[in-house]
Amino acid sequence: MEAAKRENHIIDAEGKVLGRLSVQIAVLLRGKHKPDFAPHKDIGDFVTVKNVEKLKFTGKKFKDKIYYRHTGYLGGLKKATLEDIYKKSPSEVLRRAVYGMLTKNKLRAIQIKRLKFEK
């Protein structure tokens, strides 16, 4: 079995909508654009995203979208708005969107590591 030939893709996020950009990145990370794609193979490419701080959000998502997480303790439900997370790290918002679009199996952790961010 030969190793997958991985390409490097550089994407400029300036003025692009979060969801549409996330889909584009998820397709490249999974390798769905390649003719020999199979769901069980890890043949995706490397993706570098520039100008993440210039992403565009449609509607009222920036103020109203809420991300939930649980600490594991009773009453440990934490929530943060998209605005809070974006202020701390704009790349984290895009990473979470792409992470949710990848397959929910062991390949997801491997594929998300190929996503990089540039200033």
Side-chain angles (χ1 to χ4, degrees):
M1 185 169 152
E2 62 185 64
K5 292 185 173 69
R6 302 191 193 279
E7 298 174 20
N8 291 315
H9 297 275
I10 298 172
I11 297 175
D12 189 9
E14 186 174 354
K16 293 192 178 174
V17 179
L18 174 66
R20 292 179 182 270
L21 179 63
S22 300
V23 170
Q24 184 182 359
I25 294 169
V27 165
L28 293 172
L29 289 175
R30 285 195 67 199
K32 289 188 83 170
H33 62 291
K34 295 185 177 182
D36 55 342
F37 170 75
H40 65 280
K41 290 186 195 173
D42 183 27
I43 58 169
D45 295 337
F46 291 95
V47 178
T48 305
V49 183
K50 299 189 312 186
N51 297 323
V52 183
E53 62 279 349
K54 296 178 184 173
L55 269 174
K56 193 166 86 174
F57 302 97
T58 57
K60 295 191 268 180
K61 279 192 231 43
F62 197 66
K63 298 272 186 200
D64 294 349
K65 181 164 177 58
I66 298 174
Y67 291 96
Y68 293 98
R69 63 185 180 87
H70 200 280
T71 63
Y73 291 96
L74 290 173
L77 185 65
K78 304 286 184 183
K79 57 184 174 179
T81 63
L82 174 62
E83 185 178 18
D84 297 337
I85 295 172
Y86 188 80
K87 283 180 183 175
K88 289 180 186 171
S89 174
S91 59
E92 180 63 19
V93 172
L94 183 59
R95 193 193 69 75
R96 284 188 187 197
V98 172
Y99 189 77
M101 292 180 184
L102 296 175
T103 56
K104 279 72 173 175
N105 57 28
K106 292 179 180 182
L107 288 177
R108 178 159 73 166
I110 298 165
Q111 290 168 348
I112 198 71
K113 287 179 185 173
R114 290 197 297 269
L115 176 61
K116 306 290 181 209
F117 298 99
E118 273 184 11
K119 292 253 173 170

